[in-house]
Structure formats: structure tokens, C-alpha cells
């Protein structure tokens, strides 16, 4: 974003605008800067102190002295990367010194954490002397799992990186060189694909012969570009064979035999422009002189060599990328370094070699060619990108980056023999990566593991809806079970086709209710259930023929599917009514809704968030039993709190008595889980406050919260999500005789996949 000092309005760009003051406020607000360090172990008691510090700490010290590899077990080393600079090439702003570079370096550290859960600290080294810099870094090896060098100018960066790589036994990676080259190469592969070019005959001009420029052309040549087709330029123009001014050995290695001397001359007929130089370096005339369908990557930061608007004003056949997030096609090393280090750290790679870089570039390129899930579409304000000239590279907020790029890097490290601790099961590794960033993925991992082993057929009742089709594809792709889409075949295939999805290849079945041979049996089944409830046979036939929920529920009831998911085209209450006409409550059970709230490492189950508006004492007791069952099925030992505004009779009111009665009912039933109440939420959740009630049956903070009514349950869940930052799953419907889940109208494809997984899971029990 260009910031105009006078008007405080952005001059160019299509994304959110920002002013200088906003940027300063962002950095100064609250605790200054963007980083803080938080402990991972409790430090509340004398005992904690004795363990964490003297005398306890001496034990891991001795263990590491005996076996250095133990540092990965007892310290943060294995997940810690230092971002180190001397501030000599801060973005495209030049040499503004070590201190001024700190906001960028803090930013890189934050991105490491945000995108790949790599812990990172920035170190600004105040010297431009190469030897001094090397000596400052070389002895830091024991502290870190890797070193990310950043914004160090060429040619010094080449010497610094190669010397440190020799001196240190952990990965040393100059992000501006290799990170940039990897991302640019990935975008370029896709742009070549779209324009039907062969890299062996494609002509490229790279403007900027510094850290980024040299690395970019080295990588594209390693990928197959002919040396004579790659012209390098710098502030003095073309780097030609025989030139002496402003040269160094790294530029010389790429000097070409040519009569061309200026960038303008080099650009005539060029297929690709890579800009890693400075703002405005590419002119309109140069763009005009390029070949048809030119590929223009103007990557200088914060302002590119030319803006996409400027290119669009000259010609319409260009594919344009920049380093910025406010234009399509952001070619920026943020897509690389977090994930490359994640993969390297996880296999304890001793280095990041070419095989790992090429693997990362290919994985990135491939990711952009696959269908985009709702989570990514959300990053585009709902405009779902499709592989094409305006979407050649994934966006930084694409959650799939974390589960794909590190896997490719780790595999390449293992295959090329630099992995100190190889990973045996890469699929399990990919799943664990998803869980790192996504608390839902973590909560789902046990469930998903089970349903992968016991294949169930899950029917997606609203099979013509695009997000349902994507969910079914993701469900099948992840091996979570067999997906069946209910709907008209031509509609479903057309929608799938538009998204580039081949349903047949994934074994996804389509059931068209209108053509089904089972409709009369389903109508009979429904009539049997409804004949004494005022329905004629004709009504039942109509429901089966015209209503997907009734048809789907009959399929499940009659064993043609193991479970169903519905809800995005009809409100929750209507969907429940539809399903309930066909499927009964399981004998001895009660149908309720349970929501899971995942908040700061804690999981609580909240009930009833779907069915009983004002439950009686008996119903509250049933809700407690059903919710405890859900918690137990998900691997938790239930501790149920019957919540109220009062605690054990203090501040008691009419509703509190209802809850006290529910507790007495649970006592009489001799249920096999811990429960107590009535109690306030703060007593239920806070072990210290609970100590004031030594008679309570709960042995620790509650993890199942039974709310006095639907209003309280729904409000509490929503507030946890909006104010507490909790991730919510559900409500999960439980207590029915068959596996059915209903998603909210606003459900994304990933929500539907999770509900489908719960459906399959319930069907395995
Ligand atoms: N999008 C991304 O992910 C990334 C973008 N970049 C951007 O690339 C640019 C260069 O960074 P980096 O390689 O680290 O810096 P360096 O200082 O190492 O190199 C800069 C190079 O650019 C050349 N240059 C500067 N101005 C011009 C100009 N007007 N015309 C032609 N060449 C010019 C310099 O020429 P000379 O050798 O003659 O001095 C030098 O070769 C920056 O704008 C940076 O923000 C960098 C890394 C990642
Ligand atoms: C993105 C980056 O690292 C740079 O512009 O220097
Ligand atoms: Mg940089």
C-alpha cells in the first residue's frame, strides 16, 4: 500500500486502505511492537520454580551435555528460528540500518508463528562488516533450530549465507534469496501453464541483480530455462559479458552475450519480467514491447516496478503479480519461509537444499490449481478464486499451505538424505500439521482416525449446493468415508464441472430422488409412521418425491445410507421436524444439541443448544446424561456442571430449584459420571473457586456445562465465540436412532465436512 503523506489516502491499490497514522498506531497500540514471549510451563508455585529453575533445571542440563540431541526434547530449540539481519536492504527501502529494520523482522517472526506455529525471535545485528556479522551469528547455533537471514544486501548476503551454511549444523536460509525464488518460480510455473509456454524456450528479463534477483534466476535455470534466454539487469542496465562497471562474481556468472545494454532493449519481445529492483523501474513502453500474453512479476516492496492498473491500461493480455496483498497474485516470500522451516524443523534437517526448494515450489504451484475451499474463499471476501490469470498462486491465508508445503519439504529432505529425524507416516504428519493451526482439526483427529478405519456411507442431502459438493469431495478425499450426494445428476455434475471436480474419480455417488427405484418403499415406510398423525398416503408420497430431507431420512432409516447431513437450505427447526417424521429418538434417550467450545486450550461441551427451550428437571437430567455421553465418546472424562446464576442454594430462585431437582434426579439414577450443581459458571470452570465448596462431587473444573435453558445455552455459546475467541463446533444432534447432523444455514464446506465426520462417527458406535 502506498501511503500518501499529505492526504493520508492510498494512491493505488484495491485492498483495504491505510494511512501512515494507522500504521504507526497499529505498532504502538498496547504493548509496543508485535511480539511477546510467553512461558509454556506453569510458574505459579514454589515447586514449579524448583522444577523450572534451580535445582530441577540441572537435570536436563546434564542430559543435554551427555547427548546434544536431547536439546530437542528439553528445550525450545527444535521449534525456534532466529530472524537475523543487519538492515542493509530493508524491503526495497535500502540500507536504513539494523534498528530501523526491527518492525520488518518482528513481522517475519510473527508470520512464522501465525502461519506455521514456528516460534521465532528477531535479532538485529548492528554491523555492515561481513566478518563481524558472520561471527555474531555463527556461535548462536545452540539456541535455534534454524536461522532465517533477512534483508541483507547483495553481494554481502551471498558470502554471509554460504559461510554460515558451512559453519553451522542447522538450516541457514536467506529468505530474500531462496524464499522469493521459490514463490516466484511457483507462480511462474502456473503462468507458463496458462499461457501455453515451454520453459526451455521462454525468454525472461530479471531486473534486480541482488539477493532476490540472483536466486530467482539460479532457480529458474535449475528448473530448465536456457541461460541465453535469461537476461539480468541492474541499475547499470543489462549484465552483459565483458561489462566491468558495478559487477561482482555473482552477476558475472549470469552475464549474457548480447548487444543489448538497457532494460528497455532487453524487454523487447520478452515473455517474462521478474522485478526485484525498485518502484517504477518498468515503464509503459517496456510493457508494450513485450511478447503476447506477457508475464509480469513486479515484486519490489512496498511499491512494485509497475502497478497492475498501469499494466491494464496498456494491454489486457498480461498476467501480473506483485509482492503486495492488496492485488491478486501476491508473489511474496511469506508463502514460503514459515512452511519451509516447518518441514525442515520437523525432520531436523541439517540444511535446506535445492531439492527441498524445488519441492516447495512445485507443491505451491499445484495448490493453486486445486479447488478452493470456503475458508480460502473467505479471505477473498467471498469471491472464490479459480485457477487462472488472476489466481496463479495461493493466498497467504490459505489454510492448506500448512498441511501441504511442509510435507513436500520434509519428504524432499528425507529423500535427499539431510533429515536427522525422518518421518515415517507423512499422511499422519499432514494431519498433525492441520491440527497445529486449527483447534477443530485437533479435536477431530481421533474421530477422523476411527472413521477412516470403519468406512460409513454419509448422505449429503442438499447435494446440488456448491459448498455441499465441495464438502463431499473433501470428505472423500480425506478418506473419511463414502460420500453420497442427493440431487439431480445434471445439476450436480454441472456445478462440479465448473469447479473442476471429477466426482466419479473420487467414488462419490449421486442419488436422484426422482429416478430412485426405492421411492415407493420409502413412501410406505413414511406412511406407516405418519398414518395416525393425520397424514394420507398421498401426503407421504409427495414428501418423498419433493422433499430432500424426507427422502434422505428414509434412505438412512432403511439402510441405504449410514447417516445424513443437511441444513444449509432450511432453518434448523424445520430440518429437525423433517427428519423426526422419519427417524425416532433412540429408546431410552432424549434428542438434544451439544455444542463444543474450544477456547485457549480448553474444551467444554454446552447443552442443550438445539432442542429444549425451557427444560423441566427431568429433561435437564436427561440432557446431562446425553451430553456426558457425547463428551465420553469424544475421549473426555465428563465432569458435568448443572449451571445457574446461583451456587449451591446461595442467591437461589425459582429456576435454581428446578436445577437442584435435576441434580437429585441424577443422584437417584446413579449415573456413572461426575456431576454437581446448581452452580455458577465461574465456580464450575475455576478450580480455585471450587475449593470453597469442598463437598462438591466434581474433582476438577467442569467440562460439560448443562445450561438452565436453550436461551442461556445459545447466548453463552455465541458470547464465547464472539468475545472469548472460542471455536465452536455444533450443535451436534444426539439421541436419535440413526446418525443425523444438521448444520446451520451459514455452514461452510469445512463445517459440513466436520458434521459429516460426526455423522460417520455416530454410525460406527
Ligand atoms: N516479493 C517478495 O517476496 C520479495 C521482494 N523483494 C524486493 O526485491 C527488491 C530487491 O531486494 P533484494 O534483492 O533483497 O535487495 P538487494 O539490495 O540485494 O538488491 C537490489 C538489486 O536491485 C537493483 N536495483 C535497485 N534499483 C534498481 C533500478 N531502479 N533498476 C534496476 N535495478 C535496480 C540493484 O542494482 P545494483 O546491483 O546495480 O545496485 C541490486 O542489484 C526489493 O524491492 C525487495 O522488497 C525482495 C525479497 C522478497
Ligand atoms: C518480502 C520481503 O522479504 C522483502 O520485500 O524484502
Ligand atoms: Mg526481505
Amino acid at each position: 500500500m502506498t501511503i500518501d503523506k499529505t492526504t493520508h489516502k492510498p494512491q493505488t491499490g484495491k485492498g483495504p486502505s491505510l494511512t501512515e497514522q494507522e500504521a504507526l498506531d497499529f505498532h504502538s497500540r498496547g504493548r509496543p511492537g508485535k511480539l511477546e514471549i510467553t512461558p509454556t510451563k506453569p510458574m505459579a508455585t514454589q515447586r514449579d520454580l524448583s522444577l523450572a529453575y534451580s535445582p530441577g533445571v540441572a537435570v536436563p542440563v546434564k542430559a543435554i551435555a551427555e547427548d546434544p540431541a536431547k536439546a530437542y526434547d528439553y528445550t525450545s530449540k527444535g521449534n525456534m528460528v532466529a530472524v537475523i539481519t543487519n538492515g542493509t536492504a530493508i524491503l526495497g527501502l535500502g540500507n536504513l540500518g539494523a534498528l530501523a529494520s526491527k518492525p520488518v523482522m518482528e513481522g517475519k517472526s510473527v508470520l512464522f508463528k501465525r502461519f506455521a506455529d514456528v516460534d521465532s525471535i528477531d535479532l538485529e545485528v548492528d554491523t555492515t562488516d561481513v566478518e563481524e556479522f558472520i561471527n555474531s551469528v555463527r556461535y548462536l547455533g545452540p539456541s535455534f533450530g534454524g536461522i532465517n537471514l533477512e534483508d541483507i544486501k547483495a553481494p554481502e548476503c551471498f558470502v554471509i549465507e554460504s559461510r554460515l551454511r558451512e559453519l553451522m549444523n542447522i538450516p541457514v536460509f536467506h529468505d530474500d534469496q531462496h524464499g522469493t525464488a521459490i514463490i516466484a518460480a511457483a507462480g511462474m510455473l502456473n503462468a507458463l501453464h496458462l499461457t501455453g509456454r515451454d520453459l526451455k524456450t521462454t525468454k525472461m528479463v530479471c531486473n534486480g541483480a541482488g539477493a532476490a534477483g540472483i536466486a530467482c534466476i539460479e532457480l529458474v535455470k535449475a528448473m530448465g530455462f536456457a541461460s541465453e534466454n535469461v537476461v539480468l539487469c541492474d541499475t547499470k542496465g543489462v549484465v552483459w559479458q565483458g561489462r566491468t562497471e558495478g559487477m561482482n562474481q555473482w552477476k558475472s556468472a549470469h552475464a549474457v552475450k548480447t548487444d543489448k545494454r538497457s532494460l528497455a532493449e532487453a524487454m523487447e519481445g520478452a515473455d517474462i519480467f521478474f522485478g526485484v529492483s525498485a518502484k517504477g523501474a518498468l515503464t509503459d513502453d517496456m510493457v508494450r514491447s513485450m511478447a503476447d500474453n506477457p508475464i509480469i512479476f513486479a515484486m519490489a516492496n512496498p511499491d512494485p516496478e509497475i502497478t497492475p492498473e498501469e499494466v491494464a491500461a496498456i494491454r489486457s493480455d498480461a498476467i501480473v503479480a506483485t509482492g503486495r496483498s492488496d492485488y491478486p497474485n501476491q508473489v511474496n516470500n511469506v508463502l514460503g519461509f514459515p512452511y519451509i522451516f516447518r518441514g525442515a524443523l520437523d525432520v531436523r534437517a541439517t540444511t535446506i537444499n535445492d531439492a527441498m526448494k524445488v519441492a516447495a515450489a512445485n507443491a505451491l504451484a499445484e495448490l493453486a490449481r486445486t479447488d478452493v475451499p470456503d475458508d480460502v474463499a473467505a479471505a477473498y471476501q467471498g469471491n472464490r478464486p479459480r485457477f487462472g490469470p488472476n489466481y496463479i498462486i495461493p493466498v497467504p491465508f490459505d489454510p492448506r499451505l500448512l498441511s501441504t508445503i511442509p510435507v513436500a519439504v520434509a519428504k524432499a529432505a528425507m529423500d535427499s538424505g539431510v533429515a536427522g529425524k525422518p518421518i515415517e507416516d507423512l499422511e499422519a504428519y499432514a494431519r498433525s500439521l492441520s491440527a497445529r493451526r486449527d483447534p477443530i482439526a485437533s479435536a477431530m483427529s481421533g474421530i477422523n482416525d476411527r472413521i477412516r478405519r470403519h468406512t460409513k456411507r454419509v448422505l449429503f442431502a442438499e447435494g446440488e449446493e456448491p459448498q455441499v459438493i465441495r464438502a463431499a469431495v473433501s470428505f472423500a478425499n480425506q478418506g473419511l468415508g463414502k460420500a453420497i450426494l442427493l440431487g439431480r445428476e445434471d445439476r450436480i455434475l454441472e456445478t462440479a464441472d465448473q469447479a473442476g471436480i471429477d466426482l466419479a474419480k473420487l467414488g462419490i455417488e449421486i442419488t436422484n430422488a426422482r429416478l430412485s427405484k426405492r421411492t415407493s418403499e420409502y413412501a410406505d415406510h413414511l406412511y406407516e409412521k405418519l398414518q395416525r398423525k393425520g397424514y394420507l398416503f398421498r401426503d407421504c408420497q409427495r414428501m418423498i418425491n419433493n422433499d430432500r430431507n424426507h427422502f434422505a431420512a428414509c434412505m438412512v432409516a432403511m439402510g441405504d445410507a449410514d447417516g445424513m447431513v443437511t441444513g444449509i437450505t432450511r432453518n434448523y427447526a424445520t430440518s429437525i421436524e423433517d427428519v423426526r417424521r422419519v427417524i425416532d429418538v433412540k429408546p431410552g434417550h432424549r434428542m438434544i444439541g451439544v455444542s463444543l467450545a474450544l477456547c485457549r486450550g480448553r474444551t467444554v461441551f454446552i447443552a442443550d443448544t438445539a432442542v429444549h427451550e425451557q427444560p423441566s428437571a427431568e429433561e435437564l437430567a436427561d440432557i446431562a446424561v446425553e451430553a456426558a455421553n457425547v463428551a465420553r465418546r469424544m475421549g473426555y472424562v465428563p465432569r458435568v456442571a448443572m449451571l445457574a446464576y446461583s451456587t449451591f442454594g446461595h442467591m437461589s430462585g425459582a429456576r435454581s430449584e428446578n436445577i437442584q431437582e435435576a441434580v437429585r434426579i441424577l443422584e437417584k439414577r446413579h449415573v456413572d459420571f461426575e456431576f454437581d450443581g446448581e452452580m455458577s459458571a465461574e465456580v464450575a470452570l475455576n478450580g480455585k473457586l471450587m475449593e470453597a465448596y469442598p463437598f462438591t462431587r466434581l474433582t476438577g473444573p467442569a467440562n460439560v456445562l448443562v445450561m438452565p435453558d436453550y436461551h442461556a445455552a445459545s447466548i453463552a455459546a455465541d458470547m464465547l465465540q464472539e468475545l472469548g475467541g472460542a471455536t465452536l463446533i455444533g450443535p451436534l444432534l444426539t439421541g436419535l436412532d440413526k446418525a443425523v447432523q444438521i448444520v446451520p444455514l451459514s455452514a461452510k464446506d469445512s463445517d459440513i465436512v466436520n458434521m459429516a465426520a460426526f455423522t460417520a462417527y455416530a454410525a460406527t458406535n
Side-chain angles (χ1 to χ4, degrees), residues 108 150-151 176 333:
K108 293 273 174 182
E150 191 68 45
D151 289 1
D176 297 286
N333 49 31

Side-chain angles (χ1 to χ4, degrees), residues 486-506:
L486 182 61
R488 284 161 293 185
E489 202 155 14
D490 51 346
R491 293 273 181 101
I492 294 175
L493 290 177
E494 193 188 324
T495 311
D497 199 44
Q498 278 165 8
I501 296 166
D502 184 350
L503 294 175
K505 219 163 110 188
L506 291 161

Side-chain angles (χ1 to χ4, degrees), residues 42-267:
M43 205 61 62
T45 63
Q46 187 63 40
R47 183 176 157 72
D48 293 341
L49 196 61
S50 304
L51 285 166
Y53 196 44
S54 185
V57 73
V59 185
V61 166
K62 286 186 213 150
I64 294 168
E66 240 169 65
D67 176 5
K70 289 274 187 276
Y72 289 90
D73 298 329
Y74 301 130
T75 75
S76 57
K77 176 181 169 74
N79 197 45
M80 180 69 81
V81 168
V83 174
I84 310 187
T85 188
N86 60 2
T88 47
I90 309 174
L91 309 173
L93 305 171
N95 182 358
L96 300 181
L99 184 59
S101 74
K102 194 164 168 62
V104 175
M105 303 310 133
E106 281 189 357
K108 293 273 174 182
S109 288
V110 169
L111 298 178
F112 264 119
K113 186 69 185 172
R114 167 65 181 79
F115 289 121
D117 197 17
V118 171
D119 294 306
S120 172
I121 182 83
D122 59 300
L123 299 174
E124 292 74 24
V125 182
D126 197 7
T127 177
T128 54
D129 183 277
V130 169
E131 286 308 316
E132 281 180 1
F133 188 90
I134 291 170
N135 279 329
S136 304
V137 178
R138 66 179 290 191
Y139 300 111
L140 297 176
S143 310
F144 302 107
I147 303 287
N148 183 87
L149 299 173
E150 191 68 45
D151 289 1
I152 302 168
K153 78 182 252 307
E156 293 84 340
C157 64
F158 302 123
V159 180
I160 288 171
E161 191 200 40
S162 73
R163 288 276 307 284
L164 287 174
R165 279 168 66 98
E166 279 165 23
L167 292 167
M168 301 180 83
N169 64 354
I170 53 174
V172 176
F173 178 86
H174 184 200
D175 177 38
D176 297 286
Q177 292 183 53
H178 316 298
T180 317
I182 290 165
I183 316 308
M188 181 199 72
L189 286 175
N190 281 343
L192 291 178
H193 177 88
L194 286 169
T195 55
R197 287 184 166 98
D198 180 351
L199 46 76
K200 290 198 188 74
T201 52
T202 301
K203 294 192 169 72
M204 168 187 282
V205 173
C206 179
N207 197 44
I214 297 285
C216 281
I217 63 170
E218 276 178 359
L219 189 60
V220 299
K221 285 183 186 177
M223 285 175 138
F225 266 73
S227 292
E228 64 275 17
N229 286 340
V230 182
V231 177
L232 187 61
C233 295
D234 60 12
T235 53
K236 311 282 181 299
V238 171
V239 175
W240 50 275
Q241 275 182 17
R243 193 182 108 173
T244 50
E245 193 191 2
M247 292 293 282
N248 58 44
Q249 68 184 86
W250 295 274
K251 291 182 188 178
S252 295
H254 299 286
V256 279
K257 209 171 184 171
T258 177
D259 297 335
K260 296 179 176 178
R261 295 292 178 262
S262 67
L263 174 64
E265 287 167 6
M267 288 297 289

Side-chain angles (χ1 to χ4, degrees), residues 344-372:
L345 292 174
D346 289 341
V347 291
R348 289 193 202 154
T350 49
T351 182
I352 294 172
N353 59 23
D354 285 349
M356 292 155 81
K357 293 177 207 164
V358 172
N362 284 329
L364 255 178
E366 201 180 316
L367 195 57
R369 297 200 288 265
T370 56
D371 185 42
V372 165

Side-chain angles (χ1 to χ4, degrees), residues 281-332:
L282 193 65
T283 65
D284 294 0
D285 283 343
M286 294 177 194
V287 172
R288 268 187 208 103
S289 74
M290 291 182 78
D292 288 346
N293 303 314
I295 298 165
I296 300 173
F297 286 9
M299 295 177 275
N301 283 320
D303 297 299
E305 283 78 2
I306 192 163
T307 66
E309 290 97 328
E310 286 164 340
V311 176
I314 303 160
R315 54 195 300 172
S316 58
D317 61 345
I319 294 181
V320 185
T322 69
R324 298 160 47 131
S325 47
D326 52 351
Y327 288 113
N329 297 334
Q330 183 182 16
V331 173
N332 191 300

